[in-house]
């Protein structure tokens, strides 16, 4: 059996290897660019400038960071368990890379479009939770283990809404294969029919990535780095890269499933460059949203975070599936989806707000002290 | 591999667990200085917290006994470096009380303006650090510090120093303010008002922020009084006590403002009381600026070496963090015989144990931030 | 342009001394007291073994109602012993009083008032470690600011020296005191 790659016929193993290599190379460069982008964008949110000295406009900052990290001493706590401590970065890192297998970048460009695309993606990405727990346990540090257990609890809790949101979208598209979902959206992106699903996916993706407001495992102002507190140099940079690679993959999966990927609008008509623009633009928008949220909101406590997933997101994602099923089985027009989606999203916000609000004003007491003296004097 | 305290918790009969002993600090990004807490944690719930202080103890009180009354001002600055004008104020007023010095009007109004501006800058520092404690990555910090920079620049123009001013003297102030002082203060107040509003809109109505701060770490009014708390931390529990109004010093009886009290005494009330207090401070400063008139800044007959007759005085003022008092005993001569600094942060920190036990571990940091301590004042 | 006599600057802090004295006297009901007037507050002196009873009386009496312990400190009078000074305030009646207990150098002990005002907890710990005064019945008599191992040095006593550099202040002196 041979496969086509750039017009060459190759053994499928070699072909997969080459494609994976290309993806890895591409991804590494993009991730370094993402790190720089985050620093610059967050700086603009803070009215600062961000990196500006290393290279023109600070563009070589990520390179400088990489060089520094490579040169650092590789410290390992004396009592750390050698197997778990050393293997943990790989357990975090590799599943995310493997997730790139099914991502449709543009039409015809991908590693392997599996028929079980979404299912594969979710199954593989949940393995990295094991890596977090290994890192925490192997570090022989109380902060690390607390962070690891928090990460495990959080990761497991938010898998469900993530899967259900993706599944509800694929129900409409009729397939789990990502490029079929993208092509289904050539006229209307799925976010229009699934606003609730998109919101649930976005929130669950933030939680899976351990980004603010769900970054309590890595709570910098409390347990200072969580499971990664004992890692230094290259090992730590693997975790760091894994985080940004995870962001990248969530962005691309999210934009493929909900925003129309390379296909909407008119992607298939205008050819490859336009598709690349669309794919990059939508992925970039998704990532910008993640950065924006990071600059704006405090972090949730672990019990609030778990409560939000199990008590609010999960029921609402079931609701979304129910509505989808209803509409599909009875052949109702898709506009019902939009209306019910917006209403359910409003209901979700209302339920969340109702739990936390309390009137703001403390009491004021006028303090005009001893004005009597002046009255007496005058 | 992971050491746990071999102490079984008896909370649930059917599930045997062990408590974890966790050490927070002294090097920690959230402890606002060198401070150490040993928390005993059962899962995520704090069962016990033991604070260890004294890392920043520099013997300010002992040193003051060897310095004359002007040299001691520098030590007072350094005990509370975020609100140094208020710290200096207590000390110089105590000396004036003992030495029977008359302070000219202009000096009093200038002192008042600077102390209230210092309250603003100290509260901005609190807002920034508190925002970071709740988990936002840096945005509240930068917002707050943008305003604080404007204030600190003004302080530098007035006294020559950004943080440890050594500007007040017994009898008045060291030198007069720059000619454009009033305009500069008005400028700074405009940007500070805008800054407070910006900050308010960023955090005070954010649902996640409210979920993190409301209902957490509350203390009742009776308990707060019994523990000796003061300042906004006390007023947030509903206790109506403000030294500026109850025992007015400087010219506080000639200006009008509101004393803000909270209701629930939780973390959010402590935060919001400070935000509203900042607006009140701006009101006070505006009124002071109207009263400011040309005049002398030191008494005419100012002795070169200040000596005080024997006596003692306990002089308290309302610093941003609470009641900052100076108990000064003089046996004649040009030095204090005993100079005790009643530290607001020390008394507020005593309440940490009560506030934190029973709350979640993540809340311990938020509660510590809400008490707003500065370790140099706790340790002196 | 006017300057004010210094008493008027503090009028509102001083309060009416005779008023406060009569209230305090009533509250203390026969516990031996001694009255002075400091610059701002009425000062009452109480015997060592009566301090807890007096504190309770001052806190619980309706007219006095001194429920707020502002400050607790000590002064080393060298040969004449030490005095422990309590500054009290009433949040309801808004008046102040200062209470002193005189201790002789031979017996630096007195009972704790932590049961009356929990605020005294850390304040007494500090006085204990700085002056060597023992507060009997204190729930947590560890060092507060000093290192935990040190229990025989009391820095704020007058016979405890400062380091040499502090004594040698003047021009022409080097870091360790030698002439430049």
């Amino acid at each position: 059996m041979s496969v086509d790659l750039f017009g060459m016929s190759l053994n499928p193993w070699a072909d997969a290897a080459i494609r994976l290599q290309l993806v890895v190379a591409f991804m590494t460069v993009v991730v370094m660019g993402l790190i720089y982008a985050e620093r610059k964008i967050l700086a603009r949110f803070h009215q600062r400038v961000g990196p500006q000295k290393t290279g023109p406009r600070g563009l070589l900052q990520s390179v400088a960071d990489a060089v520094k990290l490579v040169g650092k001493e590789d410290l390992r706590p004396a009592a750390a368990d050698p197997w778990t401590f050393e293997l943990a970065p790989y357990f975090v890192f590799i599943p995310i890379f493997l997730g790139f297998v099914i991502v449709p970048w543009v039409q015809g460009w991908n590693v392997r479009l599996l028929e079980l695309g979404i299912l594969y993606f979710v199954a593989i990405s949940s393995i990295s939770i094991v890596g977090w727990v290994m890192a925490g346990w192997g570090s022989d540090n109380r902060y690390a283990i607390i962070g690891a257990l928090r990460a495990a609890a959080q990761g497991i809790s938010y898998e469900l809404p993530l899967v259900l949101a993706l599944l509800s979208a694929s129900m409409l598209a009729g397939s789990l294969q990502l490029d079929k979902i993208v092509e289904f959206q050539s006229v209307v992106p799925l976010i229009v029919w699934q606003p609730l699903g998109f919101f649930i996916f976005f929130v669950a993706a933030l939680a899976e990535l351990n980004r603010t407001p769900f970054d309590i495992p890595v709570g910098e102002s409390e347990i200072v780095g969580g499971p990664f507190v004992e890692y230094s140099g290259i090992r730590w940079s693997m975790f760091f890269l894994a985080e940004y690679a995870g962001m990248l993959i969530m962005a691309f999966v999210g934009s493929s499933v909900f925003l129309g990927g390379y296909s909407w609008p008119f992607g298939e008509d205008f050819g490859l460059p336009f598709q690349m623009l669309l794919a990059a633009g939508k992925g970039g928008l998704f990532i910008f949203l993640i950065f924006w949220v990071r600059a704006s909101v405090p972090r949730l406590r672990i019990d609030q975070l778990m409560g939000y997933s199990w008590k609010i997101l999960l029921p609402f994602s079931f609701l979304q599936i129910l509505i989808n099923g209803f509409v599909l089985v009875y052949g109702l027009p898709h506009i019902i989806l939009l209306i019910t989606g917006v209403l359910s999203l409003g209901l979700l916000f209302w339920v969340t707000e109702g739990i936390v609000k309390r009137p703001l004003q403390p009491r004021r007491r006028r303090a005009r002290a001893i004005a009597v003296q002046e009255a007496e004097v005058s | 591999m992971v050491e746990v305290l071999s102490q079984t918790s008896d909370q649930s009969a059917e599930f045997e667990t062990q408590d974890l002993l966790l050490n927070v600090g002294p090097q920690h990004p959230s402890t606002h200085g060198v401070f150490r807490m040993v928390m005993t944690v059962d899962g995520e719930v704090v069962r016990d917290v033991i604070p260890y202080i004294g890392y920043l103890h520099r013997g300010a009180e002992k040193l003051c006994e060897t310095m004359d009354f002007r040299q001691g001002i520098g030590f007072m600055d350094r005990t509370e470096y975020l609100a140094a004008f208020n710290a200096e104020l207590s000390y110089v007023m105590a000396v004036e009380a003992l030495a029977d010095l008359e302070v000219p009007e202009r000096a009093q109004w200038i002192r008042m303006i600077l102390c209230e501006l210092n309250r603003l800058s100290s509260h901005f520092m609190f807002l920034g650090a508190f925002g970071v404690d709740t988990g936002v990555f840096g945005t509240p910090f930068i917002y707050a510090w943008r305003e604080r920079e404007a204030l600190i620049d003004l302080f530098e123009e007035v006294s020559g120093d950004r943080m440890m001013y050594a500007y007040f003297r017994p009898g008045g102030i060291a030198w007069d303010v720059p000619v454009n002082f009033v305009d500069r203060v008005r400028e700074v107040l405009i940007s500070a008002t805008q800054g407070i509003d910006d900050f308010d809109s960023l955090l005070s109505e954010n649902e996640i922020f409210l979920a993190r701060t409301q209902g957490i770490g509350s203390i009742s009014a009776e308990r707060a009084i019994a523990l000796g708390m003061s300042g906004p931390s006390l007023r947030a529990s509903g206790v109506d006590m403000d030294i500026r109004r109850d025992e007015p010093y400087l010219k506080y009886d000639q200006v009008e403002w509101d004393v803000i009290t909270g209701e629930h005494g939780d973390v959010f009330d402590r935060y919001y009381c400070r935000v509203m207090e900042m607006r009140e401070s701006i009101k006070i400063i505006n009124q002071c600026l109207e009263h400011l008139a040309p005049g002398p800044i030191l008494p005419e007959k100012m002795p070169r070496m200040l000596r005080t007759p024997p006596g003692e005085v306990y002089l308290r003022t309302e610093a941003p963090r609470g009641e900052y008092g100076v108990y000064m005993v003089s046996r004649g001569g040009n030095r204090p015989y005993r100079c005790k600094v009643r530290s607001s942060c020390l008394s507020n920190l005593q309440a940490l144990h009560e506030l934190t036990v029973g709350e979640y571990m993540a809340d311990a940091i938020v509660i510590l931030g809400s008490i707003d301590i500065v370790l140099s004042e706790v340790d002196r | 342009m006017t300057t004010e006599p210094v008493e008027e600057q503090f009028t509102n802090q001083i309060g009416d001394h005779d008023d406060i004295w009569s209230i305090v006297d009533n509250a203390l009901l026969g516990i031996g007291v001694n009255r002075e007037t400091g610059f701002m507050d009425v000062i009452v002196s109480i015997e060592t073994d009566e301090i807890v009873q007096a504190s309770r009386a001052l806190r619980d009496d309706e007219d006095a109602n001194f429920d707020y312990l502002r400050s607790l400190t000590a002064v080393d009078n060298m040969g004449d012993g030490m005095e422990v000074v309590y500054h009290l305030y009433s949040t309801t009646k808004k008046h102040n009083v200062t209470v002193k207990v005189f201790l002789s150098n031979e017996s630096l002990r007195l009972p704790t008032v932590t049961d009356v005002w929990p605020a005294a907890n850390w304040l007494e710990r500090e006085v204990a470690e700085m002056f060597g005064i023992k507060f009997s019945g204190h729930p947590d008599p560890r060092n507060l600011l000093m290192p935990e191992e040190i229990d025989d040095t009391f820095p704020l006593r007058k016979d405890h020296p400062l380091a040499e550099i502090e004594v040698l202040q003047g021009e022409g002196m080097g870091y360790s005191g030698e002439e430049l």
Side-chain angles (χ1 to χ4, degrees):
Chain A
M1 216 167 45
S2 63
V3 209
D4 268 328
L5 176 65
F6 298 131
M8 300 180 285
S9 278
L10 286 171
N11 179 303
W13 291 99
D15 167 78
I18 295 179
R19 287 178 192 238
L20 267 176
Q21 282 294 77
L22 283 175
V23 166
V24 166
F26 166 71
M27 193 225 64
T28 313
V29 172
V30 170
V31 159
M32 286 176 64
L34 271 187
I35 297 175
Y36 170 77
E38 171 166 40
R39 290 172 72 157
K40 274 296 206 186
I41 291 176
L42 280 180
R44 293 312 302 160
F45 276 115
H46 296 168
Q47 297 193 328
R48 306 179 280 124
V49 185
Q52 40 178 334
K53 300 286 190 208
T54 47
R57 298 175 144 261
L59 281 168
L60 294 179
Q61 181 68 42
S62 300
V63 178
D65 285 340
V67 170
K68 176 202 80 167
L69 284 169
V70 166
K72 272 197 174 182
E73 180 184 353
D74 184 21
L75 293 169
R76 196 205 318 161
D81 182 71
W83 285 101
T84 42
F85 188 80
E86 312 245 351
L87 283 181
Y90 298 100
F91 270 76
V92 172
F93 196 56
I94 292 178
I96 297 186
F97 272 104
L98 288 180
F100 280 106
V101 164
I102 42 99
V103 171
W105 306 100
V106 286
Q107 196 162 24
W109 285 20
N110 49 70
V111 179
R112 275 290 177 273
L113 284 175
L114 306 174
E115 275 172 18
L116 289 178
I118 289 189
L119 209 55
Y120 165 84
F121 166 66
V122 174
I124 280 280
S125 65
S126 56
I127 296 180
S128 45
I129 300 176
V130 175
W132 282 65
V133 178
M134 285 169 72
W137 178 257
S139 292
D140 184 43
N141 181 327
R142 277 166 222 201
Y143 287 123
I145 193 116
I146 292 177
L149 294 177
R150 284 176 175 175
Q154 177 179 314
I156 295 174
S157 305
Y158 278 89
E159 283 289 341
L160 281 168
L162 184 76
V163 171
L164 291 175
L166 287 173
L167 280 182
S168 61
S170 64
M171 272 169 82
L172 281 184
S175 163
L176 286 173
Q177 193 171 337
L178 269 176
D179 70 330
K180 295 244 174 29
I181 299 181
V182 170
E183 278 159 26
F184 177 80
Q185 300 173 68
S186 50
V187 180
V188 180
L190 269 177
I191 186 175
V192 174
W193 306 134
Q194 305 273 284
L196 180 63
F198 177 72
F199 177 76
I200 293 176
F201 172 78
F202 185 69
V203 172
L206 277 180
E208 287 297 313
L209 296 168
N210 290 305
R211 299 280 301 183
T212 318
F214 303 106
D215 64 346
I216 193 145
V218 205
E220 271 169 47
S221 59
E222 306 162 40
I223 54 177
V224 203
F228 310 141
V229 72
E230 295 283 357
Y231 286 87
S232 61
I234 284 248
R235 288 189 212 285
W236 181 82
S237 70
M238 288 171 77
F239 288 117
F240 199 54
L241 284 178
E243 178 181 336
Y244 285 86
M247 256 203 293
L248 191 67
I249 197 175
M250 283 289 183
F252 272 99
V253 168
S255 59
S256 304
V257 172
F258 287 102
L259 296 178
Y262 59 81
S263 156
W264 180 85
F266 313 120
E268 277 138 8
D269 305 332
F270 286 143
L272 208 55
F274 188 60
Q275 285 179 6
M276 284 163 67
L277 195 65
L278 281 178
K282 287 174 196 173
L285 177 68
F286 209 91
I287 292 178
F288 180 75
L289 275 179
I290 297 179
F291 293 161
W292 194 356
V293 169
R294 181 177 191 197
S296 313
V297 291
R299 74 170 62 97
L300 284 172
R301 214 173 51 208
I302 189 74
D303 64 316
Q304 296 165 339
L305 183 158
M306 306 252 286
Y308 189 68
S309 160
W310 291 98
K311 295 185 203 169
I312 297 185
L313 281 190
L314 194 60
F316 275 90
S317 49
F318 279 131
L319 179 66
Q320 176 74 83
I321 292 190
L322 265 179
I323 298 175
N324 280 8
F326 218 68
V327 166
L328 285 175
V329 164
Y330 291 113
L332 299 173
H334 279 8
I335 196 74
I336 302 271
L337 282 175
L338 175 59
I339 299 173
T340 49
V342 171
L343 285 177
S344 344
L345 200 55
L347 181 67
L348 193 157
F349 291 150
W350 185 76
V351 168
T352 319
E353 218 179 274
I355 299 177
V356 292
K357 279 291 203 183
R358 195 187 79 193
L360 278 187
Q361 293 286 337
R363 240 171 307 158
R364 299 165 158 269
R365 287 186 204 174
R366 208 109 276 251
R368 185 70 202 252
I370 326 231
V372 186
Q373 270 185 344
E374 284 138 325
E376 283 174 1
V377 166
S378 64
Chain B
M1 191 175 313
V2 177
E3 233 175 292
V4 295
L5 186 67
S6 54
Q7 167 195 328
T8 318
S9 68
D10 48 355
Q11 262 69 43
S12 49
E14 67 279 353
F15 198 57
E16 201 179 281
T17 55
Q18 284 178 327
D19 291 344
L20 192 67
L21 201 68
L22 200 65
N23 186 38
V24 179
Q27 292 101 356
H28 190 98
S30 283
T31 52
H32 299 280
V34 256
F35 172 67
R36 181 176 172 222
M37 278 195 294
V38 176
M39 285 200 284
T40 310
V41 173
D42 173 24
E44 283 265 344
V45 178
V46 176
R47 293 281 169 228
D48 191 16
V49 66
I50 306 174
Y52 288 90
I53 59 176
Y55 290 93
L56 207 48
H57 179 63
R58 295 149 294 173
E61 297 177 5
K62 181 85 173 174
L63 286 168
C64 275
E65 293 172 15
T66 63
M67 303 279 148
D68 65 48
F69 289 112
R70 264 180 319 122
Q71 289 171 316
I73 295 174
F75 288 108
M76 295 298 123
D77 276 335
R78 278 144 184 86
T79 57
E80 179 157 9
Y81 46 73
L82 291 175
F85 279 126
N86 290 281
E88 287 174 25
L89 183 71
S90 291
Y91 184 85
V92 301
M93 279 172 67
V95 174
E96 284 155 14
L98 286 177
D100 202 12
L101 287 173
E102 308 168 6
V103 182
E105 288 253 338
R106 181 174 167 82
Q108 291 202 36
W109 288 111
I110 292 177
R111 281 183 177 179
M112 209 158 133
I113 294 173
L114 289 172
C115 286
E116 289 300 318
L117 283 173
N118 214 342
R119 189 182 310 270
L120 270 181
S121 82
S122 169
H123 282 327
F124 270 125
M125 165 83 195
F126 161 76
L127 288 182
F130 187 65
V132 171
D133 283 340
T134 50
V136 197
F137 173 74
T139 314
F141 194 75
I142 304 286
Y143 277 30
W145 277 67
R146 194 181 60 199
E147 306 309 328
R148 190 161 181 260
E149 275 299 301
L151 283 161
I152 300 241
D153 283 342
L154 175 64
F155 293 150
E156 191 183 5
E157 288 172 25
V158 168
S159 73
D161 205 312
R162 281 164 60 94
M163 214 154 88
M164 328 273 201
Y165 314 110
Y167 182 62
F168 292 172
R169 297 281 184 273
I173 53 184
W175 49 79
D176 211 339
V177 291
V179 264
N180 59 348
F181 182 64
V182 176
D183 297 325
R184 282 284 289 131
V185 172
R186 285 197 209 277
E187 221 178 279
V188 160
L189 287 184
I190 292 173
S191 80
T193 318
Q194 184 58 45
I196 301 173
D197 291 337
D198 277 345
F199 202 92
D200 219 356
S201 68
L202 175 69
L203 274 190
S204 302
E205 305 225 2
N206 184 316
E207 276 98 9
I208 300 181
F209 183 76
L210 292 176
R212 282 304 295 278
T213 55
Q214 282 181 346
I216 311 262
S218 40
I219 188 167
S220 68
E222 299 79 36
R223 201 61 199 149
I225 294 176
L227 282 169
M229 293 177 81
S230 55
S233 308
L234 177 67
R235 288 197 281 277
S237 299
V239 178
D240 187 21
M241 180 171 143
D242 183 341
I243 300 176
R244 295 174 291 174
R245 182 202 52 198
D246 299 331
E247 306 174 308
Y249 51 97
L250 291 179
K251 297 284 188 185
Y252 280 104
D253 51 350
Q254 293 176 26
V255 294
E256 195 172 302
W257 80 101
D258 292 337
V259 172
I260 312 290
T261 54
E263 217 176 293
H264 303 261
D266 57 9
V267 166
F268 181 76
D269 274 352
R270 289 195 277 274
Y271 156 82
Y272 207 63
C273 276
R274 288 189 174 95
V275 171
M276 294 180 77
E277 258 185 35
M278 292 166 80
R279 297 198 171 110
E280 302 303 318
S281 284
I282 295 182
K283 268 195 225 169
I284 297 177
I285 300 174
N286 279 323
Q287 293 171 56
C288 292
L289 286 174
E290 285 159 32
H291 281 115
L292 195 60
I297 52 162
L298 279 172
E300 292 115 28
K301 300 251 179 45
M302 191 62 202
R304 264 218 290 152
M305 179 55 76
L306 186 59
R307 290 179 207 282
T308 58
E312 65 178 61
V313 67
Y314 174 64
L315 203 129
R316 48 262 175 188
T317 61
E318 179 87 12
R321 289 180 173 74
E323 171 186 330
Y324 189 90
V326 168
Y327 173 60
M328 192 175 289
V329 177
S330 166
R331 295 277 174 93
N334 62 345
R335 301 176 180 175
Y337 186 76
R338 169 91 171 102
C339 174
K340 146 95 182 162
V341 172
R342 188 270 188 207
S343 156
S344 49
C345 295
L346 183 76
S347 304
N348 287 348
L349 194 58
Q350 268 196 72
L352 183 70
H353 186 269
E354 271 191 45
L355 291 172
T356 315
V357 168
E359 304 285 351
Y360 287 97
M361 197 173 75
D363 293 331
I365 304 291
V366 171
I367 293 172
L368 182 65
S370 77
I371 305 179
D372 191 20
I373 54 172
V374 57
L375 261 304
S376 66
E377 200 193 339
V378 173
D379 293 339
R380 278 151 290 144
Chain C
M1 281 292 275
T2 56
T3 60
E4 289 177 343
V6 68
E7 301 83 57
E8 275 181 28
Q9 294 170 23
F10 296 106
T11 314
N12 308 307
Q13 297 215 8
I14 294 179
D16 188 341
H17 280 176
D18 294 317
D19 229 7
I20 296 177
W21 168 244
S22 65
I23 293 175
V24 167
D25 203 13
N26 281 337
L28 288 177
L29 282 187
I31 300 178
V33 296
N34 218 357
R35 174 195 173 168
E36 286 166 48
T37 303
F39 180 76
M40 287 172 60
D41 301 332
V42 172
I43 303 179
V44 302
S45 315
I46 300 192
E47 295 297 314
T48 311
D49 28 357
E50 291 174 336
I51 182 65
V52 181
Q53 197 186 351
S55 309
R56 246 184 252 283
L58 282 172
R59 185 194 62 178
D60 297 332
D61 178 75
E62 274 165 14
D63 290 322
N65 197 221
F66 288 107
D67 52 358
Y68 189 74
L69 177 69
R70 284 194 124 132
S71 166
L72 199 168
T73 184
V75 184
D76 183 0
N77 292 321
M78 291 191 282
D80 295 331
M82 297 195 188
E83 52 192 68
V84 177
V85 185
Y86 303 77
H87 290 102
L88 305 174
Y89 178 66
S90 168
T91 52
T92 46
K93 311 280 185 225
K94 316 272 186 200
H95 48 220
N96 295 282
V97 75
T98 303
V99 173
K100 285 197 185 185
V101 178
F102 286 92
L103 307 169
S104 70
N105 273 327
E106 289 77 33
S107 84
L108 292 173
R109 279 179 297 277
L110 77 162
T112 180
V113 295
T114 320
D115 300 319
V116 184
W117 299 293
N121 195 325
W122 280 20
L123 300 171
E124 281 180 356
R125 277 169 74 181
E126 192 187 338
V127 167
E129 72 184 354
M130 291 287 166
F131 287 92
I133 298 176
K134 296 235 183 311
F135 289 91
S136 59
H138 195 275
D140 187 17
R142 294 173 295 141
N143 276 354
L144 188 70
L145 298 176
M146 299 277 287
E148 276 148 12
E149 317 80 55
I150 296 184
D151 57 357
D152 55 355
T153 322
F154 305 112
L156 276 176
R157 284 193 180 174
K158 285 294 177 181
D159 50 9
H160 182 97
L162 284 176
E164 269 185 0
I165 177 139
E166 301 297 335
V167 176
L168 302 168
Q169 296 251 345
E171 282 185 335
M173 290 290 193
Y175 184 80
S176 59
E178 73 272 10
E179 301 270 350
L180 279 175

